[in-house]
């Protein structure tokens, strides 16, 4: 990661926001190459979604009526359990403190969990509550007896993910999370067990409309773009005269006051999402869920990701409105992480907007003469997070003729510069020809003119920013109007007619 972050800064992909003031945590700026690549990524997504008959695009405003976020459940539920260290005042997401439990503490953790469970399990009502909580999380396992449940807990406690959930109190009584917290060292000051009780912290950024900072004027920066699509469902449907099934796509900024921003662009406070809501007749959701899962995995593969770096993660713990949810995960240098979620969201969102706004959100099916609230399949991918995934997937270091070459193997569609035009030397008219060629190609593509330094070094500079093709104007060009094209990944060279360079690039991009 360090190498990638350093290259991203040095070559102008990504800078720290407000760097001269020491930066602002969780915010990043895209530099000259970064913005080109991000735009290419967004365009690839936009084309894949809207260059078809059944998907329309929109661009909704970031600020929306505050009731939107009550209807969506974000005011009540978009929270993380948080604790503060009483000594140094550092704030943490509860489940992240799991990493601070040493192996020695893990056996103490087991003791705490079991003595706690045993007291609760001696009471039949307590037992039933735990059993229900347990089944909700892992409905694949049927447990009937106290012994069976205790046994399962005993196995699960060894599983890091389960222990994390325990600590976060997702599963069990928050009192137990508090006992466990007594074992944990503060990652900042090192003190043990100095944490406050866990509190719920809403992740939405709040601000005010108009000059009066009054609770009546509160608005939120949207934490997802999806709600802009839901509230416009009928507007879009009637304006475009679409019939079910059809989708609405949107790319835009989203904001979350994440407690722990981390891993470069992976979890930031300001980021961009590319979301598409596909509206279907109830009963057809499973078929379209499978269809969109396939389409979305294919999108990453078509843009050059390798299958071994992608995997599916099935959500066992579903949101109360979700029928099914899968994430596409990418193998980052720090481990697997979600880049996209595909969710079967039932009629929850449209249904709730109908309730909260008092306006009908029903679709009229002309064939069956029925009115109903459609079901929704959502595909939701972070533009910034997948930008980072493509950067990581492309980064490579190779030994070439005894020298290390750093190369970004971007798909030509994503590469910020499509080609470099290089006069071999700055004389005999080679530079003039290269300038003219650059101007011609710039009508269609981002291309870069470079005449400084040895040709080998110029190639390396282009490899490092992922430019797929370098065209060199040399003495042969003066005789037969051909140029050398050097391909980034294979480093193979061939000659093409200058008049064919534009077609050459169009074909490959
Ligand atoms: N509308 C559904 C939704 O927002 P999500 O799983 O919370 O679902 C979808 O977010 C995608 O947005 C994630 O897969 C990720 O790519 C991106 N994302 C979410 N939070 C992010 C953050 N703090 N920083 C960067 N990207 C984020």
């Amino acid at each position: 990661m360090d190498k990638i972050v350093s290259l991203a800064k040095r070559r102008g992909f990504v800078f720290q926001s407000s760097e001269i003031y020491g930066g602002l945590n969780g915010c990043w700026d895209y530099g000259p190459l970064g913005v080109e690549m991000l735009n290419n990524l967004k365009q690839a997504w936009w084309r894949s979604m809207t260059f078809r008959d059944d998907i329309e695009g929109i661009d909704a405003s970031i600020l929306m009526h505050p009731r939107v976020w009550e209807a969506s459940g974000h005011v009540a539920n978009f929270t993380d359990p948080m604790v503060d260290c009483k000594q140094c005042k550092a704030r943490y997401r509860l489940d992240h403190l799991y990493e601070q439990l040493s192996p020695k503490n893990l056996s103490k953790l087991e003791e705490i969990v079991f003595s706690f469970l045993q007291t609760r399990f001696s009471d039949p009502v307590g037992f039933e509550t735990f059993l229900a909580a347990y089944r909700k999380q892992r409905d694949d396992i049927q447990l009937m007896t106290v012994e069976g449940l205790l046994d399962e807990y005993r196995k699960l406690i060894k599983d890091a993910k389960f222990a994390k959930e325990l600590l976060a109190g997702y599963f069990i009584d928050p009192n137990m999370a508090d006992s466990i917290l007594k074992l944990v060292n503060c990652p900042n000051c090192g003190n043990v067990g100095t944490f406050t009780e866990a509190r719920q912290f809403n992740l939405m950024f709040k601000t005010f409309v108009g000059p009066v900072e009054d609770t009546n004027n509160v608005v939120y920066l949207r934490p997802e773009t999806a709600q802009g699509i839901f509230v416009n469902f009928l507007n879009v449907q009637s304006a475009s005269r679409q019939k079910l099934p059809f989708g609405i796509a949107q790319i835009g900024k989203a904001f979350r006051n994440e407690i722990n921003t981390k891993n470069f662009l992976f979890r930031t406070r300001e980021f961009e999402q590319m979301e598409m809501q596909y509206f279907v007749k109830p009963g057809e959701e499973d078929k379209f869920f499978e269809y969109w899962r396939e389409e979305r995995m294919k999108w990453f593969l078509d843009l050059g990701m390798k299958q071994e770096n992608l995997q599916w993660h099935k959500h066992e713990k579903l949101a109360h409105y979700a029928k099914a949810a899968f994430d596409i995960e990418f193998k980052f240098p720090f481990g697997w992480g979600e880049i996209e979620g595909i969710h079967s969201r039932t009629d929850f969102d449209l249904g709730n907007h109908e309730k909260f706004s008092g306006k009908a959100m029903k679709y009229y099916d002309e064939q069956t003469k029925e009115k109903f609230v459609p079901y929704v399949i959502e595909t939701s991918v972070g533009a910034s997070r997948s930008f980072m995934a493509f950067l990581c997937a492309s980064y490579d270091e190779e030994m070439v003729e005894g020298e290390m070459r750093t190369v970004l193997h971007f798909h030509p569609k994503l590469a910020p510069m499509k080609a470099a035009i290089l006069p071999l030397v700055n004389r005999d008219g080679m530079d003039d020809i290269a300038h003219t060629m650059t101007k011609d190609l710039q009508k269609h593509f981002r291309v870069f003119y470079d005449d400084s330094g040895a040709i080998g070094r110029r190639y390396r500079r282009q490899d490092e920013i992922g430019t797929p093709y370098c065209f060199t104007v040399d003495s042969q060009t003066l005789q037969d109007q051909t140029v050398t094209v050097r391909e980034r990944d294979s480093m193979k060279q061939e000659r093409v007619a200058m008049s064919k360079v534009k077609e050459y690039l169009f074909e490959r991009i």
Side-chain angles (χ1 to χ4, degrees), residues 224 256 258 266 268 271 273 275 338-339 378 380 382:
E224 61 171 16
R256 297 183 188 178
E258 301 281 5
F266 186 80
T268 55
F271 56 97
Q273 286 187 317
E275 296 198 297
E338 172 195 337
I339 48 178
E378 168 180 74
S380 173

Side-chain angles (χ1 to χ4, degrees), residues 78 223-226 256 258 265-273 275 277 327 338-341 343 345 378 380-386:
F78 197 50
E224 61 171 16
T225 55
R256 297 183 188 178
E258 301 281 5
L265 306 174
F266 186 80
R267 183 171 295 116
T268 55
R269 296 202 167 105
E270 176 176 340
F271 56 97
E272 233 168 338
Q273 286 187 317
E275 296 198 297
Q277 314 293 326
D327 295 336
E338 172 195 337
I339 48 178
E340 169 151 1
H343 312 126
R345 296 181 68 117
E378 168 180 74
S380 173
V381 53
S384 351
R385 199 179 279 183
S386 53

